[in-house]
């Protein structure tokens, strides 16, 4: 990865998390970085873990990116091992830990991740809708009193004005960061296609595959054919209302009416349903272990059912990957995200057979 980037990972339990760093993976330290958790069994709402004051995020390791390490294993807050697809969360050494943080983020146990993606962060091009506010450098000048009093008041007022301007800019910056993280957390996956290319899985936006409108590839993923393949659209679970949650659990014959009533009393919505774990169900008043594990299993089955369907394509992963990469770059060029029109892909002769 070159330059500032965001790493997003997903584990087998559906937790989505990652980190931002202001430099490439292969640089030693980043002055600006933060970690985040977007959704999953241990995330009720999106979480952000800020880098502690005066700390730097160490990135370069032999096995993969490491956030927060200062060269010693015990100081790693989030570490990825690309060799065996594992990760470790142990936040606290270099990143701030919010109150009531789930042990998932602090216990230092290696777990497997199922997906990991990296996105390069491009500099702003001054979009018309970008949230910016420029404060004047000085406050209004005081002239109503004698010069010494004016100067004293002006000095105090200017100091307060500077603090207020700084605070306002920090609030705007935080709002922009929060909006960016929320866009990852709440973004619908209805336009994301999961492709299985002779055993190799890739994810790509349907709009990317449709970039060349008259191509066979674009026609395969147009609206009419795509709806037939996916069985139509459904509301993402995390957008379910409390009524939809009750309707789902009430349809399960293996779950007692008493448990359904617990859900009804607590008015749980879809995002809260996905965040439930053993402790959360116990807090709802569900004590029987068998029922707890049954509900967790049903939630996992529900998530699997709502995942984007996989489209199987009998094609060379190498050649098809070249096509997808070209379409992505061509789309980015046409949208003004990159300045150079990408050349057509070149395929090695040894792969054409």
């Amino acid at each position: 990865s070159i330059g500032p980037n965001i790493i997003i990972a997903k584990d087998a339990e559906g937790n989505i998390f990652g980190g931002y760093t202001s430099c490439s993976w292969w640089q030693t330290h980043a002055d600006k970085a933060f970690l985040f958790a977007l959704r999953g069994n241990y995330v009720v709402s999106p979480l952000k873990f800020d880098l502690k004051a005066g700390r730097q995020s160490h990135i370069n390791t032999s096995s993969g990116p490491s956030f927060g390490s200062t060269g010693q294993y015990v100081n790693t807050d989030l570490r990825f091992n690309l060799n065996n697809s594992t990760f470790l969360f142990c936040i606290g050494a270099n990143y701030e830990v919010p109150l009531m943080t789930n042990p998932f983020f602090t216990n230092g146990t290696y777990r497997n991740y199922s997906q990991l993606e990296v996105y390069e962060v491009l500099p702003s091009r001054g979009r018309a809708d970008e949230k910016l506010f420029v404060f004047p450098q000085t406050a209004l000048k005081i002239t109503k009193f004698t010069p010494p009093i004016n100067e004293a008041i002006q000095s105090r007022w200017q100091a307060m004005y500077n603090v207020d301007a700084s605070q306002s800019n920090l609030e705007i910056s935080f709002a922009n960061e929060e909006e960016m993280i929320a866009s990852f957390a709440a973004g619908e996956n209805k336009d994301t296609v999961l492709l299985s290319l002779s055993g190799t899985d890739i994810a790509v936006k349907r709009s990317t595959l449709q970039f060349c409108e008259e191509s066979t590839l674009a026609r395969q993923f147009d609206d009419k054919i795509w709806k037939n393949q996916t069985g139509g659209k459904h509301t993402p679970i995390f957008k379910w209302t409390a009524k939809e949650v009750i309707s789902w659990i009430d349809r399960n014959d293996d779950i007692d009416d008493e448990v359904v009533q617990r859900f009804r009393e607590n008015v749980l919505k879809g995002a809260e349903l996905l965040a439930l774990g053993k402790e959360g169900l116990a807090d709802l008043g569900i004590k029987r272990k068998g029922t707890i594990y049954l509900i967790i299993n049903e939630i996992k089955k529900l998530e699997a059912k709502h995942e984007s369907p996989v489209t199987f394509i009998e094609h060379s992963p190498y050649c098809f990957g070249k096509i997808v990469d070209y379409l992505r770059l061509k789309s980015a060029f046409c949208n003004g995200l990159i300045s150079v029109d990408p050349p057509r892909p070149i395929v090695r002769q040894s792969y054409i057979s």
Side-chain angles (χ1 to χ4, degrees):
S1 175
I2 299 175
N5 62 86
I6 290 178
I7 301 171
I8 303 178
K10 180 178 181 181
D11 67 9
E13 297 182 348
N15 299 296
I16 299 177
F17 55 90
Y20 163 81
T21 173
S22 59
C23 70
S24 169
W25 279 12
W26 309 119
Q27 290 180 251
T28 305
H29 292 89
D31 295 324
K32 295 180 180 179
F34 62 85
L35 304 178
F36 58 84
L38 301 180
R39 54 181 293 200
N41 293 336
Y42 305 101
V43 184
V44 177
S45 60
L47 297 172
K48 180 169 178 278
F49 308 95
D50 289 309
L51 192 63
K52 291 182 178 179
R55 302 294 179 92
Q56 291 183 320
S57 184
H58 184 83
I59 297 300
N60 184 17
T61 69
S62 59
S63 58
S66 176
F67 289 84
S69 173
T70 56
Q72 298 179 23
Y73 170 84
V74 294
N75 288 331
T76 299
D77 295 64
L78 174 59
R79 179 181 183 136
F80 291 97
N81 188 327
L82 304 183
N83 298 325
N84 58 11
S85 298
T86 60
F87 70 95
L88 175 145
F89 251 130
C90 193
I91 294 180
N94 296 277
Y95 289 80
E96 301 287 352
V97 182
L99 294 175
M100 304 299 291
T101 297
N102 191 287
F104 172 80
F105 302 106
T106 59
N107 66 8
T109 302
Y110 270 102
R111 302 177 181 85
N112 289 97
Y113 64 81
S114 57
Q115 297 180 45
L116 187 145
E117 296 185 2
V118 181
Y119 296 87
E120 183 180 2
V121 178
L122 300 175
S124 170
R125 294 180 178 267
R127 302 186 309 273
D129 61 345
E130 190 171 16
K131 296 179 181 178
L132 296 173
F133 190 87
V134 180
F135 288 87
Q137 300 246 337
T138 59
L140 295 175
K141 190 171 183 179
I142 307 299
T143 58
K144 291 185 177 181
F145 308 100
T146 60
I149 294 177
N150 287 338
E151 184 177 348
I153 295 175
Q154 185 74 45
S155 177
R156 288 291 185 92
W157 195 356
Q158 184 65 51
M160 294 175 62
Y161 185 85
N162 291 342
V163 170
D164 184 60
S166 176
Q167 177 67 25
S168 296
N169 276 324
L170 284 174
E171 290 175 356
I172 292 172
S173 176
F174 178 79
N176 287 336
E177 285 185 1
E178 189 175 42
E179 182 179 332
M180 181 271 292
I181 292 177
S183 69
F184 281 108
E188 295 186 27
N189 63 353
K190 64 184 180 183
D191 194 41
T192 301
V193 181
L194 298 181
L195 302 177
S196 180
L197 303 167
S198 301
T200 300
D201 296 334
I202 66 171
V204 59
K205 281 189 172 293
R206 191 159 59 98
S207 57
T208 299
L209 298 174
Q210 292 179 291
F211 183 78
C212 298
E213 296 180 358
E214 299 302 321
S215 67
T216 302
L217 189 61
R219 288 195 293 269
Q220 182 179 348
F221 292 96
D222 68 19
D223 287 339
K224 184 176 180 180
I225 296 177
W226 181 244
K227 285 181 182 179
N228 290 336
Q229 290 176 341
T230 59
K233 300 178 181 179
H234 51 66
T235 304
I237 304 171
F238 65 87
K239 286 192 173 183
W240 277 10
T241 63
K243 185 177 180 180
E244 288 173 306
V245 171
I246 294 299
S247 176
W248 166 75
I249 198 168
D250 198 25
R251 290 196 302 269
N252 194 314
D253 296 332
D254 295 325
I255 297 178
D256 296 337
D257 292 341
E258 182 181 350
V259 174
V260 177
Q261 183 60 28
R262 294 288 185 185
F263 274 75
R264 188 174 283 111
E265 291 171 355
N266 285 275
V267 197
L268 294 176
K269 296 181 180 179
E272 296 162 332
L273 174 69
L274 294 175
L276 284 178
K278 289 183 288 186
E279 294 179 0
L281 290 169
D283 289 341
L284 293 180
I286 303 169
K287 304 300 182 183
R288 190 168 175 272
K289 290 185 177 180
T291 303
I292 288 176
Y293 286 110
L294 172 63
I295 296 173
I296 290 175
N297 185 55
E298 290 299 321
I299 292 174
K300 289 181 179 179
K301 285 162 53 176
L302 178 67
E303 285 190 279
K305 181 180 178 181
H306 277 242
E307 288 285 346
S308 296
V310 176
T311 301
F312 295 92
I313 297 179
E314 290 298 324
H315 203 293
S316 164
Y318 169 79
C319 295
F320 198 88
K322 286 279 189 178
I323 296 172
V324 170
D325 287 343
Y326 173 73
L327 292 175
R328 285 170 172 163
L329 291 172
K330 194 71 175 177
S331 176
F333 173 73
C334 292
N335 286 292
L337 299 177
I338 58 175
S339 58
V340 179
D341 191 0
R344 292 187 177 183
I346 299 175
V347 179
R348 297 177 189 173
Q349 189 65 32
S350 59
Y351 283 89
I352 306 175
S353 59

